[in-house]
Amino acid sequence: MAFAVLEPATLTEALSHLAHEGDAGAALAGGTDLLLRIRRGGRKYRSVINLKFVPGLTGLAWDDQRGLTMGALTTFRAIEHDPHARRHYHALVEAARVIAGVQLRNLATVGGNIGNASPSADSVPPLVALGATIEIASTSGMRVVPVESCITGPGKTVLAPGEIFTTIHIPAPSTRSGNAFSRFSPRAAMDIGIASVAASVTLDTDGRCADCRIALGAVSPIPLRATASEAALRGERLTPALADLAGELAAAATRPISDIRGSASYRRAIVRTLTTRVIQQAAARAAAAGAR
Ligand SMILES: Cc1cc2nc3c(=O)[nH]c(=O)nc-3n(C[C@H](O)[C@H](O)[C@H](O)COP(=O)(O)OP(=O)(O)OC[C@H]3O[C@@H](n4cnc5c(N)ncnc54)[C@H](O)[C@@H]3O)c2cc1C
């Protein structure tokens, strides 16, 4: 289980280590997933490349036109406290708040949450619903990928050996838009979700749904867009009956597993309820934003 810990001081140095180590190296952010995985003997690495001292990989920056940009090593605690995230991206802050406990949220990063690629990763549905993109860097250059297509299976991402996530970008919300997130887990704290839902809703001047994005977590191998629910809402007034129909369509789109936390049919029932609620909450926030 012995491995070297490399501590690059610049991004160039980090990328050069990652390129040199290839499959035998792993990027280390907060370590709340990676170190457990290594300790359990799940994966052996020759070296771990600690990104914590690389400048530019942490922190959040807001721009009225561009929206929110955050380093991949931004912690969930920093997201919870950021005034712009709290004002514009309720879904992301609501997800950050339910992750583990405060001590862990001071370590755990958003890039690590995506990199770990767990179906129950809490930050992923909000980022997908908010239309976030992520910058990926390597010694060969940089590419940008929607967070929606970043996770390719449980524990798998689009990252090639030598690549890391550097920056996440969430577009500025349009006028009359709102978003929300909700997760259900058997225990109130320190437990992973058995289902989660995030939604972003934009209303037109008439109060109808101009656009929406709904993302589901923990109910399929990869994060799922509830596209049938989205289609049912677009152009319509968001009545309770329509929100209920969207919930039903979302539940039908899931491919949940049955495990110790809940059966597949229970997860589907939870998704239905959460979707209905989250859409209504996002729409209420959109209406309130329009009234300001
Ligand atoms: C007790 C406990 C409770 C938890 N509760 C929750 C919960 O409620 N919800 C939830 O979603 N998660 C939970 N987790 C999981 C974990 O805390 C999160 O997934 C966290 O966001 C991982 O971030 P990290 O910075 O610690 O990642 P690390 O452990 O450092 O890395 C995780 C993976 O991502 C890769 N990686 C990290 N950063 C980058 C980068 N910049 N570029 C490329 N690859 C990268 C690593 O190589 C590794 O494969 C919990 C974990 C524990 C131990």
Side-chain angles (χ1 to χ4, degrees), residues 109-179:
T109 67
V110 61
N113 201 228
I114 301 169
N116 191 53
S118 163
S120 61
D122 283 313
S123 69
V124 175
L127 291 172
V128 171
L130 293 166
T133 53
I134 191 159
E135 260 181 41
I136 296 175
S138 71
T139 49
S140 324
M142 198 267 285
R143 62 190 176 112
V144 178
V145 174
V147 172
E148 186 176 353
S149 34
C150 238
I151 296 178
T152 53
K156 296 197 176 93
T157 67
V158 291
L159 288 179
E163 286 188 322
I164 53 164
F165 301 126
T166 52
T167 313
I168 295 157
H169 175 243
I170 312 179
S174 18
T175 332
R176 286 184 296 279
S177 74
N179 55 83

Side-chain angles (χ1 to χ4, degrees), residues 194-286:
I194 64 167
S196 66
V197 179
S200 166
V201 172
T202 304
L203 300 176
D204 64 17
T205 45
D206 220 19
R208 291 174 195 276
C209 173
D211 198 12
C212 64
R213 289 171 68 95
I214 303 165
L216 315 177
V219 285
S220 68
I222 58 171
L224 198 64
R225 278 278 295 280
T227 49
S229 312
E230 293 173 2
L233 298 182
R234 269 188 208 108
E236 302 294 331
R237 208 169 283 285
L238 290 178
T239 59
L242 189 59
D244 201 34
L245 171 68
E248 199 179 314
L249 293 170
T254 61
R255 286 181 288 145
I257 54 164
S258 291
D259 67 6
I260 190 170
R261 290 189 172 79
S263 66
S265 62
Y266 184 53
R267 284 170 195 258
R268 268 193 213 97
I270 296 285
V271 162
R272 180 179 176 163
T273 304
L274 291 186
T275 305
T276 303
R277 279 189 203 154
V278 164
I279 289 168
Q280 288 174 316
Q281 193 171 13
R285 285 174 176 163

Side-chain angles (χ1 to χ4, degrees), residues 1-7 21 23-31 33-52:
M1 225 224 309
F3 55 87
V5 178
L6 307 175
E7 298 209 322
E21 295 298 317
D23 257 350
L28 173 75
D33 280 318
L34 182 68
L35 296 180
L36 294 189
R37 202 189 313 149
I38 293 176
R39 193 175 303 152
R40 285 183 191 139
R43 181 72 211 265
K44 293 190 172 41
Y45 295 101
R46 185 170 59 214
S47 47
V48 159
I49 295 113
N50 185 357
L51 301 177
K52 276 184 226 157

Side-chain angles (χ1 to χ4, degrees), residues 180-199:
F181 167 89
S182 186
R183 166 187 110 168
F184 181 80
S185 56
R187 294 188 306 178
M190 298 301 278
D191 199 3
I192 58 169
I194 64 167
S196 66
V197 179

